[in-house]
């Protein structure tokens, strides 16, 4: 497997992503991986390698710049807050990651998808709402609310939302509002999977409740959500 | 593959189910199939054979007696209504199907599950709420509401609900109430999958809107929901 860093830029931000792919030769579908609120670290990189094992060219984006990582919840909230209150910056960085991926000679730019965890879930939904040319976006325990809902017909990607039924960052009424947004936006393909007894951060083995009490790894939900993602990719990235 | 009818009884009702299994020899996990409101017909039987192909002993139950089938919506509503208003009868017939399945020499009675479509979804949830010894129950476009919610700790089965986001028989508030029932009932394992742009009856190729306008086959939701069921069975029926 080939792995390595890729430096790219968006506005005045220097971003350092992480690439993983299995082999050169035929062009492969590409998958973006957007990190959680702590920044691009081991977790997203491991997921990128896992995707590479399955035959995708995986690019884990850096949304914070200089590959910054938060040491605690407060730092994470500051880094996320900066992007949340500047949606154009968030959009620009997400778009830059997509452009970086699709420009790679190993990637079939017509067959790309994006997955994101926690904050990264927000990012992939932003890309979808924004009409990015993606076959699929998958949000793992992401925040689903937005101040800029999808315009009717704008979303081109198949949308898969994987959410913990007890995630305080994505409570039932937020999920219901998201479903209504999908309906109003006439999104052609969307699904929501709600996992019972499951909190925030369920896919991340490092989520042990120490940084955020309600972020807790759940091996079963992790396994199921990854399989659901793979099922969608088997449909749309072939 | 072996297929054939099995006559059994519950109270004073003569029930005629349909059995399908691949081979004799080792005991296999058993799966009950509960028909939709039109009664036990081709659709549930085909699903039973499909399960048999996957190595399960499948028993399609007869909930109406004498293998009655409804010719139209009014007949279906009468047959269903009789059971809905007599939950003890419904329970007795569902339990009789389970007892018939688990008594078969081909079945490993410790590894059984139940799936149901439309009305059959209500039946499998009834079994789950009732504490039946099932590893899993799967409801395909079933009605989720109940007058007898699960008592805390009563449900032993893993519960998987597959529902159309636009199914008028399972609207959002009903799904939300069901999720609250699962929480209050301290159900150890439950999931809800909501398929966008999907109506009632999505798994049944015969659902063409003629008998019920809002019952409409959807090949994608059919495929996805069957795969979700199989994923759960791969976890709990091994």
């Amino acid at each position: 497997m080939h792995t390595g860093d890729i430096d790219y830029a968006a506005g005045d931000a220097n971003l350092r992503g992480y690439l993983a792919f299995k082999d050169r030769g035929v062009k492969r579908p590409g998958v973006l991986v957007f990190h959680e609120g702590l920044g691009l670290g081991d977790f997203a990189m491991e997921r990128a390698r896992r995707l590479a094992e399955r035959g995708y060219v995986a690019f884990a984006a850096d949304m914070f710049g200089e590959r910054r990582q938060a040491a605690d919840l407060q730092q994470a909230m500051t880094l996320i807050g900066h992007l949340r209150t500047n949606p154009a910056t968030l959009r620009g960085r997400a778009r830059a990651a997509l452009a970086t991926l699709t420009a790679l000679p190993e990637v079939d730019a017509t067959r790309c998808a994006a997955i994101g965890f926690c904050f990264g879930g927000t990012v992939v939904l932003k890309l979808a709402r924004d009409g990015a040319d993606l076959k699929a976006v998958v949000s793992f325990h992401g925040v689903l609310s937005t101040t800029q809902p999808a315009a009717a017909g704008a979303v081109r990607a198949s949308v898969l939302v994987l959410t913990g039924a007890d995630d305080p960052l994505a409570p039932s009424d937020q999920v219901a509002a998201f479903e209504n947004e999908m309906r109003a936006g006439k999104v052609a393909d969307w699904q929501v999977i709600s996992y019972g007894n499951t909190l925030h951060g369920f896919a991340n083995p490092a989520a042990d409740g120490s940084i955020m009490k309600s972020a807790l790894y759940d091996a079963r939900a992790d396994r199921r959500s990854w399989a659901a993602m793979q099922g969608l990719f088997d449909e749309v990235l072939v």
Side-chain angles (χ1 to χ4, degrees), chain A residues 4-9 13-18 59 62 66-67 100:
Chain A
D5 296 338
I6 295 186
D7 289 305
Y8 59 112
N14 297 312
L15 308 164
R16 174 163 289 181
Y18 173 82
F59 184 53
D62 170 19
E66 315 284 359
R67 199 173 285 182
T100 302

Side-chain angles (χ1 to χ4, degrees), chain A residues 66-129:
Chain A
E66 315 284 359
R67 199 173 285 182
R68 274 187 200 87
Q69 291 195 65
D72 54 35
L73 188 60
Q74 196 180 338
Q75 281 186 20
M77 295 312 291
T78 304
L79 288 162
I80 293 175
H82 172 68
L83 292 173
R84 276 203 201 282
T85 51
N86 293 284
T89 303
L90 187 151
R91 178 185 180 280
R93 293 187 187 178
R95 286 283 187 173
L98 178 55
T100 302
L101 176 73
T102 55
L104 294 171
E106 294 84 5
V107 171
D108 177 352
T110 67
R111 291 185 295 159
C112 288
I115 72 173
F117 301 86
C118 308
F119 165 71
T122 305
V123 177
V124 302
L125 292 178
K126 174 75 179 166
L127 282 171
R129 286 161 172 142

Side-chain angles (χ1 to χ4, degrees), chain A residues 185-200:
Chain A
K186 301 192 185 309
V187 179
D189 181 20
W190 61 271
Q191 308 171 68
V192 173
I193 305 185
S194 175
Y195 300 107
N197 308 302
T198 304
L199 292 163
H200 190 62

Side-chain angles (χ1 to χ4, degrees), chain A residues 3-200:
Chain A
T3 60
D5 296 338
I6 295 186
D7 289 305
Y8 59 112
D12 55 1
N14 297 312
L15 308 164
R16 174 163 289 181
Y18 173 82
L19 181 71
F21 63 97
K22 211 166 176 181
D23 46 25
R24 291 200 168 83
V26 300
K27 282 175 178 283
R28 302 279 189 182
V31 180
L32 291 171
V33 180
F34 288 98
H35 57 74
E36 71 282 21
L38 296 177
L40 175 52
D42 290 341
F43 173 64
M45 292 180 184
E46 190 273 331
R47 294 294 161 139
R49 290 192 295 273
R50 209 191 278 196
L51 288 163
E53 280 293 341
R54 293 293 302 247
Y56 305 109
V57 179
F59 184 53
D62 170 19
M63 288 297 288
F64 293 158
E66 315 284 359
R67 199 173 285 182
R68 274 187 200 87
Q69 291 195 65
D72 54 35
L73 188 60
Q74 196 180 338
Q75 281 186 20
M77 295 312 291
T78 304
L79 288 162
I80 293 175
H82 172 68
L83 292 173
R84 276 203 201 282
T85 51
N86 293 284
T89 303
L90 187 151
R91 178 185 180 280
R93 293 187 187 178
R95 286 283 187 173
L98 178 55
T100 302
L101 176 73
T102 55
L104 294 171
E106 294 84 5
V107 171
D108 177 352
T110 67
R111 291 185 295 159
C112 288
I115 72 173
F117 301 86
C118 308
F119 165 71
T122 305
V123 177
V124 302
L125 292 178
K126 174 75 179 166
L127 282 171
R129 286 161 172 142
D130 199 45
D133 185 15
L134 292 163
K135 293 291 185 195
V137 301
V138 183
S139 166
F140 296 79
H141 42 80
V143 172
L144 310 176
S145 57
T146 180
T147 55
Q148 298 175 310
V155 174
R156 301 160 73 183
S158 291
V159 176
L160 174 59
V161 164
L162 307 161
T163 192
D166 298 326
D167 183 345
L169 299 187
S172 301
D173 56 347
Q174 187 188 108
V175 177
F178 175 80
E179 297 196 356
N180 283 333
E181 183 200 354
M182 294 294 101
R183 291 184 185 99
K186 301 192 185 309
V187 179
D189 181 20
W190 61 271
Q191 308 171 68
V192 173
I193 305 185
S194 175
Y195 300 107
N197 308 302
T198 304
L199 292 163
H200 190 62

